Every structure is written in structure tokens, then in C-alpha cells.
Amino acid sequence: MNHVRYKTLNMTAVMMPPTHQFELVDNALEALRITTGLTGKVVAREANLGHPKDPVADALIEIEAERRKHRFAVEVKRAARIEVLAQAKARWPKNPRLPLLVVTPYMTAHVAEQCKAFGLFFLDAAGNAYLKDKELFVYITGRKQTQETERRKTTRKNNAAGLKLLFAILCKPDLLNATYREVATAADVALGTVGPVIKDLEQGREVATFGSNPPLRRLTDADHLLQEWVTFYPGTLRPKLNPRRFRAANRDVVERADLTKFEAYWGGEVAADRLTKHLKPERLTIYVCENPVKLITELRLKADKAGDIEILDAFWDPNVTRNGGDVVPPILAYADLMATTDGRNLEAARLIYDQYLAPNFRTLKAAP
């Protein structure tokens, strides 16, 4: 047989054990074995593809079919939203040494079809898969998500309050060692939110805790936690920020405005332009701490559902995440850009990551 071909619809769920970033890869490979008989293994973790500018793969895997071994570079994604997957594909080299394979807890049939349309390979922990290589073709959709997958989707750190808390911690990691009341105040969340989210982080091994009375905590992989935050922010927290659109009588005046007197901050493309000098903004995103009536009046904005200016409520404490000027913290600028599939925005996001985020995360990783 020249090709291995499988297609299964509406199959029963395969129960999987709790997953973490690397455990999820192992579980997805096991699900592939159950549904297809193909065996796979992880041959490397956090692998460099050979060029300094290439992204680092979360893992390299090897799948054996008809006595032939097929290698893929893996990116783990906690949520399979099409824009997140398209971003992963856009960041990957055009002629990679190894093809990209996304591993995720669950892939719906609809998103699977979209991935197949733009050539993105995937595996999930329920046994859905799309793989293609010489003498290999696997395409499986319709397997139902497991109870464990559903539980991971609803983890408390990824609801709106949890995301606010994670944002504060990512901006100021020392908050992990503050009192719960201080953390709740800094993140503007209820006191009862803090303990469960910290527990989620500890159980997911994203926070390490040492000693007691008081315990000492630190992030174990801030970069991974950032990517997870960026994945969930657009669909979970952002819609709750009262987004509304406007159009300006004179857009140039708005774009040049200093927002500090309005207790407001530039996000998205304008933030990228101010931080990197690399992007000419097409859409203007503004986060406001106060009622925006003064800003709307002075900048002569008019409500327009199709307008190119978006105003949202700020959700963070500027005193905790203060980075100077009228620009949002780099983490939020990065998330705004990554929530699009625009190549210009993705390139600007990469610059923000390289210049403002990666250096801090390397420092955290090197900490004892």
C-alpha cells in the first residue's frame, strides 16, 4: 500500500490522562495509535530547527508508517482557534527543514477543515489528525472531546478574571510572592479568584512553589504562559471590555494625540508603531481608564460600527504595569497584534516580543 488513509466520523471519545505541554504531545500520539495503529514518539524537546531566526519547536516527533519514519516539528496550542493556528502557520519558515504540526487538546471538525485548506497539520488528544508526507496521508475528524479536555478548557486561569490576574503576574512576576489581598488589588479581581488560579498554575507546573510560611513562588515558563494568555485573551477577556467603534473627523489628529490627559492608552497597531517604529497603523485601538466622553469630544469621534477606531475599557492597574507614556504594556500590544492574521501585524508582534518580552523571560528562566 502506497498511502496510509483513514477517515473516521462521529467516533466515541478516547479517555486521556491529565495533560501538560509535553504530556499533551504524548497523549496525542497515543490517540493517533489507537485510531490508526501508527506509532509515534518524541525525539527532542524545545528543538532548534537549524537557523537562529527560525522559531524553536516545542518538540520534534517521529511517526512510523509502512516502515518509513516521518518527522514533524511540533507547536503546542492550548486552544484551537483558527486565528491562533493561522498565526502559527504564518510564523513558520516558508521552506522549513521539517513541516509544522500543531498539537492541541481538541480540534473541531470545522476548524480541522480550515486547517486542511491552508495546509496546517495537526493532532489532538481525542484522536483527530491531519498528517501528510511522502507515502503518508491521515485525515480524521469528528472524534468527540474527552471530559478531561473539557475540564482543561474551563480551567479558572483562563476565564476572564483569571486572565486579568495572569496579566498582572506576567507584567510583574514579583506579585506571586505578595499576599493574596495585594494580588487581588493589583489585578482588580475578587480576593476569592487568587487562590484557585494560583492552584491551577501550580498543578499545571507553570508556577513552582518552594518552602512555606510564607511560600516562595516563581514562574517556571513565563513564555509558555504568555502564549496561553495571548490565545485566550481575544475570545474570553477582550469581549468583556465594552468594545465600541468610532470614526474620526480628522484621523491624523487622533493618531498623533497624546492620550495621557485622557487617562487612556494606545493599543494594537499604534502601540506597535510607538514601540518599534516599524508599522504604519491602519486601525486605531484605545484603552480607557475613565469615561471616554472627554476623549470622544476633543478628538471629534463619531460612533460608527464599521469605524477604524476602537475604544475598550482598560482592565489593568496602571500603577502595577506602568511602562511610561500613553502606550499599553508590551504584553497587551503583542496580544492585540497576534489576534489578527495580518502579516504586517504579526511581524510587528515578533519585534515587540524580541525587544520587550523575550529578554525579561530569559531573566526569569535563569533565576534560581
Side-chain angles (χ1 to χ4, degrees):
M1 182 172 66
N2 292 329
H3 292 76
V4 180
R5 294 182 178 271
Y6 297 88
K7 186 159 183 173
T8 306
L9 298 176
N10 299 322
M11 299 178 71
T12 56
V14 177
M15 297 305 294
M16 293 293 161
T19 60
H20 185 246
Q21 180 169 357
F22 298 124
E23 291 173 346
L24 177 57
V25 177
D26 294 333
N27 293 338
L29 289 172
E30 174 63 8
L32 180 70
R33 184 192 66 79
I34 291 172
T35 55
T36 69
L38 299 176
T39 58
K41 63 180 181 180
V42 175
V43 296
R45 292 180 173 178
E46 296 186 348
N48 192 302
L49 298 183
H51 192 282
K53 291 187 177 181
D54 286 348
V56 175
D58 292 325
L60 299 183
I61 66 169
E62 187 174 84
I63 296 171
E64 186 169 353
E66 297 294 311
R67 298 183 181 179
R68 185 183 183 92
K69 295 178 179 179
H70 308 268
R71 285 199 171 192
F72 298 87
V74 168
E75 275 203 18
V76 176
K77 295 296 182 186
R78 295 292 183 90
R81 292 180 15 251
I82 192 60
E83 57 267 37
V84 174
L85 302 178
Q87 292 157 13
K89 178 74 172 177
R91 288 195 305 272
W92 210 248
K94 292 183 178 179
N95 297 299
R97 184 169 64 88
L98 292 175
L100 172 64
L101 174 72
V102 168
V103 173
T104 188
Y106 183 67
M107 180 77 68
T108 67
H110 174 67
V111 175
E113 287 289 345
Q114 292 178 296
C115 287
K116 186 170 181 285
F118 62 75
L120 178 61
F121 306 134
F122 65 81
L123 288 177
D124 75 12
N128 299 298
Y130 174 45
L131 301 169
K132 190 176 180 181
D133 198 10
K134 187 176 181 180
E135 297 186 359
L136 173 69
F137 182 86
V138 178
Y139 183 53
I140 302 170
T141 64
R143 292 186 67 89
K144 296 179 181 179
Q145 61 186 327
T146 66
Q147 292 177 356
E148 176 58 29
T149 298
E150 185 62 26
R151 185 191 72 78
R152 293 290 296 180
K153 283 176 64 179
T154 57
T155 183
R156 290 160 293 193
K157 67 181 180 179
N158 291 328
N159 62 28
L163 290 172
K164 290 174 66 176
L165 178 55
L166 289 187
F167 181 78
I169 290 172
L170 284 167
C171 289
K172 191 175 182 180
D174 287 348
L175 280 174
L176 280 172
N177 295 306
T179 67
Y180 280 8
R181 189 171 297 280
E182 290 170 333
V183 175
T185 300
D188 191 24
V189 298
L191 180 60
T193 297
V194 181
V197 171
I198 297 294
K199 185 176 180 181
D200 275 349
L201 293 171
E202 290 173 332
Q203 289 179 340
R205 289 173 285 179
E206 291 149 327
V207 163
T209 301
F210 307 92
S212 59
N213 197 29
L216 177 65
R217 299 186 179 93
R218 71 175 181 86
L219 293 174
T220 59
D221 193 343
D223 183 62
H224 174 74
L225 200 59
L226 167 69
Q227 300 307 330
E228 187 169 3
W229 191 86
V230 168
T231 295
F232 284 93
Y233 168 70
T236 302
L237 178 54
R238 202 175 196 276
K240 297 182 181 294
L241 304 180
N242 191 23
R244 53 272 200 208
R245 290 193 174 274
F246 297 84
R247 194 169 296 280
N250 188 326
R251 180 187 153 111
D252 289 341
V253 170
V254 177
E255 196 172 329
R256 292 195 301 267
D258 181 349
L259 300 184
T260 53
K261 68 177 181 178
F262 303 114
E263 290 294 315
Y265 301 88
W266 288 111
E269 296 177 24
V270 177
D273 179 43
R274 305 264 174 116
L275 291 171
T276 70
K277 311 299 182 185
H278 186 74
L279 182 68
K280 180 173 175 57
E282 292 183 357
R283 291 186 173 274
L284 312 185
T285 303
I286 299 172
Y287 289 85
V288 294
C289 296
E290 305 292 341
N291 189 312
V293 169
K294 180 181 178 183
L295 180 150
I296 291 169
T297 302
E298 290 196 20
L299 297 183
R300 300 173 62 196
L301 304 184
K302 184 178 180 180
D304 182 343
K305 290 182 179 180
D308 57 358
I309 300 171
E310 184 177 29
I311 294 180
L312 304 101
D313 295 339
F315 61 89
W316 67 95
D317 182 347
N319 294 314
V320 173
T321 59
R322 186 174 298 281
N323 57 296
D326 60 348
V327 175
V328 299
I331 289 173
L332 181 52
Y334 176 74
D336 277 339
L337 297 169
M338 292 293 287
T340 76
T341 55
D342 186 310
R344 297 164 52 258
N345 288 351
L346 296 179
E347 179 59 28
R350 186 196 293 265
L351 291 174
I352 290 174
Y353 177 85
D354 290 343
Q355 295 175 21
Y356 294 91
L357 305 180
N360 291 334
F361 292 157
R362 281 195 294 268
T363 301
L364 287 171
K365 201 166 187 177

